[in-house]
Amino acid sequence: MSGASPRTSPVPSRLVDEDLERRRFRVHRSSMTNQQVFKTERERIFGHSWLYVGHESEVRNPGDYVRRPVGGRPVFMARGAKSGKIGVFHNSCTHRGAAVCRKDSGNAQTFQCFYHAWTFDTEGNLVGVPDRGAYGGGLDMSELGLARPPRVDSYRGFVFLSYDPEIMDLPAYLAGAKEYIDLVVDGASGAVEILKGTHEYGMEANWKLLVENSIDGYHALAVHATYFQYLAALGTSLEGGITGVGRSLGNGHAVVEGDAPWGRPIANWEPSFGEDARGEIERIRAGLVDRHGEEQAYRMANTSRNLLIYPNLIINDIMAVTVRTFMPVAPGRTEITAWQLAPENEMPLLRERRLDNFLTFLGPGGFATPDDLEALESCQTGFDSGGVEWNDVSRGMARSPKDTDEEQMRAFWRRWAEQMHGDRDEHEEAL
């Protein structure tokens, strides 16, 4: 007996099936396994969205830079030594293509291509060419600066790029997600920074499974039971459990928001922080109330939120603030990077607690991440077995959505389907 594998089997004309009358929402499993779907995503999703590059605090001083792949392409971000402005550049020499930025981060006055020693300043200008006279008068250095992505912009210190010159402006693209970025930044008194050090790891599963998992409240108590037992052992009150809501924020963005039963070093003191931190936390809380009012201060300090900025940026504002991106390198392989965001000039004791939370729950070896990855890789293995064609994402369609429902996931899938299938006539052979 023989048959096509899930990776090569025919792909239906529509990968997302929504039937409002039957209150049914399904996603075809070939969206997680098919090589052509993966290739089309790279062009239609990552080539036509705003993608997170980094945070302005990572390049605080003139000449500071960070390099990383964004949307599967090598770029770097630098603060110009002369202008003080942040620029984002393709990491490719305009001579013959080799990388010009060869370290992940640092401070430099120039970037020199190791292949033929063409040299560029931190503004992206070509400033040095060995034996320039060999070109006679035919080398116009002003035309040979580093290439920039067509669109670069920032919101509250978060820098984004897009490879689509016609994309809508960033504020319009962020839509309702702006409110939640504001909660994160204003909750840290308006001044935040990315701390040094990253988590870099991978999973043998499709990237969209991590999107779902990051805004899924349904799995938390079952998958992360050990962590909640750990919190209870520390004296953290879990009375009332976790309650919240899932929301679509427009343009594929989504959030789950709810009460936070765990200790958060923002402005919500609990005994596990120790008496030494009580006065500082109460002072921070009073400042939030003065600036934003009691209701908004409560949201910042006493609620948590997992925010998806479509397609692949997650801001987890829970027991710590984690900024996480991920990129598919194959239908069943995803590379993940995460950073810790924190208030500037934070009290050392609170910073220590924040970093401990970053590692203890959200780190690659913490309570949550290994459990999540095991679950997602198990799903991917299940897809490869075949037999079942569709995933069900219908939970909550018959009621106002809770954080344990799937409206926030449906928001992602609707935008994904729109981008993947929006130009069927023009790209009829793509899928």
Side-chain angles (χ1 to χ4, degrees):
M1 182 178 293
S2 64
S5 74
R7 299 179 190 276
T8 60
S9 58
V11 178
S13 60
R14 301 294 298 182
L15 293 166
V16 174
D17 170 40
E18 182 170 16
D19 187 332
L20 294 177
E21 185 175 342
R22 298 175 64 182
R23 294 173 179 169
R24 186 183 72 184
F25 193 104
R26 304 186 303 172
V27 176
H28 200 266
R29 291 185 174 184
S30 64
S31 65
M32 310 287 191
T33 61
N34 183 271
Q35 181 67 28
Q36 187 58 56
V37 171
F38 163 73
K39 291 175 63 177
T40 303
E41 284 179 331
R42 298 272 291 208
E43 193 279 321
R44 294 193 187 178
I45 306 294
F46 294 97
H48 295 277
S49 300
W50 281 99
L51 306 174
Y52 177 70
V53 180
H55 193 268
E56 291 176 358
S57 64
E58 297 181 86
V59 289
R60 192 183 304 276
N61 303 307
D64 284 354
Y65 66 87
V66 292
R67 71 165 187 176
R68 55 190 52 132
V70 177
R73 310 186 197 190
V75 303
F76 68 98
M77 177 172 69
R79 188 176 292 273
K82 295 179 181 178
S83 69
K85 296 179 180 179
I86 293 175
V88 179
F89 308 98
H90 290 278
N91 194 6
S92 176
C93 181
T94 51
H95 177 223
R96 301 284 282 279
V100 297
C101 181
R102 302 187 66 205
K103 294 182 179 179
D104 288 340
S105 63
N107 183 278
Q109 293 299 308
T110 59
F111 299 97
Q112 186 175 85
C113 176
F114 75 101
Y115 193 13
H116 297 99
W118 281 33
T119 303
F120 304 83
D121 66 16
T122 52
E123 315 285 349
N125 302 309
L126 178 61
V127 295
V129 174
D131 193 16
R132 183 178 175 184
Y135 292 90
L139 184 69
D140 187 347
M141 294 177 66
S142 67
E143 295 182 349
L144 290 167
L146 294 172
R148 300 170 184 257
R151 301 291 300 276
V152 175
D153 202 353
S154 66
Y155 183 78
R156 302 301 301 268
F158 294 86
V159 179
F160 295 81
L161 67 75
S162 180
Y163 300 113
D164 178 1
E166 304 300 323
I167 197 169
M168 70 180 75
D169 290 343
L170 180 63
Y173 178 87
L174 290 174
K178 296 195 299 293
E179 173 188 354
Y180 290 90
I181 297 175
D182 292 343
L183 283 173
V184 172
V185 176
D186 292 336
S189 302
V192 294
E193 61 181 345
I194 291 287
L195 305 185
K196 289 189 179 297
T198 60
H199 294 162
E200 296 181 352
Y201 53 102
M203 68 175 189
E204 301 301 315
N206 188 270
W207 69 281
K208 298 182 292 298
L209 290 174
L210 187 56
V211 170
E212 291 185 337
N213 174 264
S214 298
I215 51 174
D216 174 22
Y218 194 22
H219 79 282
L221 292 177
V223 175
H224 303 311
T226 302
Y227 179 68
F228 293 111
Q229 293 168 7
Y230 166 76
L231 288 179
L234 291 178
T236 301
S237 175
L238 303 178
E239 186 176 352
I242 305 172
T243 59
V245 64
R247 294 189 178 96
S248 168
L249 301 176
N251 294 332
H253 317 309
V255 70
V256 285
E257 180 180 22
D259 293 332
W262 40 65
R264 304 175 70 218
I266 298 175
N268 183 25
W269 183 85
E270 65 170 50
S272 64
F273 287 141
E275 286 294 333
D276 290 346
R278 187 167 192 165
E280 175 69 6
I281 290 177
E282 290 176 349
R283 182 192 68 78
I284 295 171
R285 179 59 170 266
L288 292 180
V289 172
D290 287 344
R291 290 189 296 275
H292 305 286
E294 184 65 50
E295 181 178 346
Q296 195 74 341
Y298 181 90
R299 263 186 101 188
M300 294 171 182
N302 293 77
T303 67
S304 64
R305 66 214 100 253
N306 286 4
L307 172 66
L308 162 69
I309 297 177
Y310 182 93
N312 69 328
L313 170 63
I314 299 292
I315 300 177
N316 293 310
D317 184 12
I318 42 180
M319 70 290 294
V321 184
T322 298
V323 178
R324 177 194 291 159
T325 62
F326 37 91
M327 186 67 198
V329 294
R333 174 69 185 175
T334 304
E335 294 181 348
I336 306 160
T337 307
W339 302 266
Q340 175 66 187
L341 190 76
E344 293 183 353
N345 304 314
E346 188 172 31
M347 180 182 181
L349 181 62
L350 299 184
R351 177 64 60 86
E352 180 182 349
R353 177 60 180 264
R354 181 182 302 278
L355 289 172
D356 181 70
N357 286 344
F358 182 47
L359 290 172
T360 301
F361 185 72
L362 296 159
F367 279 101
T369 300
D371 291 340
D372 285 335
L373 297 189
E374 182 177 357
L376 302 186
E377 290 178 348
S378 178
C379 291
Q380 193 74 30
T381 299
F383 300 156
D384 286 341
S385 74
V388 179
E389 286 192 72
W390 297 89
N391 280 353
D392 184 87
V393 196
S394 305
R395 183 177 170 85
M397 290 185 75
R399 66 183 182 189
S400 297
K402 301 179 180 181
D403 63 337
T404 54
D405 290 334
E406 295 164 342
E407 172 57 26
Q408 59 275 15
M409 299 177 198
R410 293 191 288 272
F412 166 83
W413 280 112
R414 290 186 188 109
R415 177 59 180 155
W416 182 89
E418 180 181 293
Q419 286 192 289
M420 291 291 284
H421 299 300
D423 301 313
R424 295 293 296 182
D425 292 341
E426 186 177 336
H427 301 285
E428 58 192 13
E429 300 301 325
L431 294 178

